[in-house]
Amino acid sequence: MFKKDPIFWWASGIFILALLLVAITQNQLWLALMIGSYLLRPTLASLGVARRYVDERQLSIHYRSSNIGFVVMIITCIIIAAKLSAEGNSDWEYFNLVIIIGLVSKALFNVVLSRNLREAATKIIIVAGLLIALFIAME
């Protein structure tokens, strides 16, 4: 039981802090802490900080589940945006923003994490320029 690695204990501490915040306050910070406790190990492993605490099987499972979760989240946002738009509710624009931010961040982090920083910088500048041009054209 006590032969867990430090990441487990940090994640457990963050999770307990989230539970205490739910009990003590009605603040939404508990949700961010709960998400942080769940994503601590895979995030540290992806950044190369804690690779010695994660084996290849765990990395493979994390990779596949992250992609599936991302697709489910994007599809859910599309469905909610379409429903809100059909109802005439202008909140659908926020869901479109979440979709755009999710897709752009996934694409850019994919380039950055490939460790080809010169290519990443070029792509980031091109994408930012295209997005600015798109917003100008939409106005």
Side-chain angles (χ1 to χ4, degrees):
M1 164 80 183
F2 292 106
K3 296 206 177 206
K4 302 287 185 179
D5 58 48
I7 297 173
F8 171 82
W9 293 112
W10 274 100
S12 298
I14 294 169
F15 184 81
I16 290 169
L17 181 62
L19 292 178
L20 289 173
L21 277 175
V22 169
I24 296 171
T25 68
Q26 298 302 319
N27 193 325
Q28 292 296 321
L29 180 61
W30 69 271
L31 185 59
L33 288 172
M34 203 159 282
I35 293 167
S37 71
Y38 178 73
L39 295 177
L40 183 63
R41 180 180 304 277
T43 302
L44 291 176
S46 295
L47 295 174
V49 175
R51 283 207 178 251
R52 65 183 174 146
Y53 297 120
V54 182
D55 63 12
E56 291 298 319
R57 185 185 66 78
Q58 287 175 322
L59 288 176
S60 174
I61 291 169
H62 167 65
Y63 173 76
R64 290 192 321 253
S65 68
S66 294
N67 284 337
I68 293 168
F70 181 73
V71 168
V72 169
M73 188 221 37
I74 293 294
I75 290 171
T76 303
C77 286
I78 291 170
I79 291 169
I80 292 171
K83 181 181 177 292
L84 290 173
S85 178
E87 293 173 352
N89 190 336
S90 65
D91 288 341
W92 66 271
E93 295 171 353
Y94 293 116
F95 285 95
N96 283 349
L97 184 63
V98 169
I99 293 166
I100 291 168
I101 290 171
L103 292 173
V104 168
S105 63
K106 181 162 176 57
L108 292 178
F109 274 108
N110 197 11
V111 172
V112 169
L113 292 176
S114 69
R115 307 249 192 239
N116 191 351
L117 298 180
R118 192 169 273 161
E119 180 184 340
T122 304
K123 287 184 179 181
I124 289 170
I125 291 170
I126 291 170
V127 167
L130 289 173
L131 286 174
I132 291 170
L134 176 68
F135 285 121
I136 290 172
M138 289 174 61
E139 284 186 19

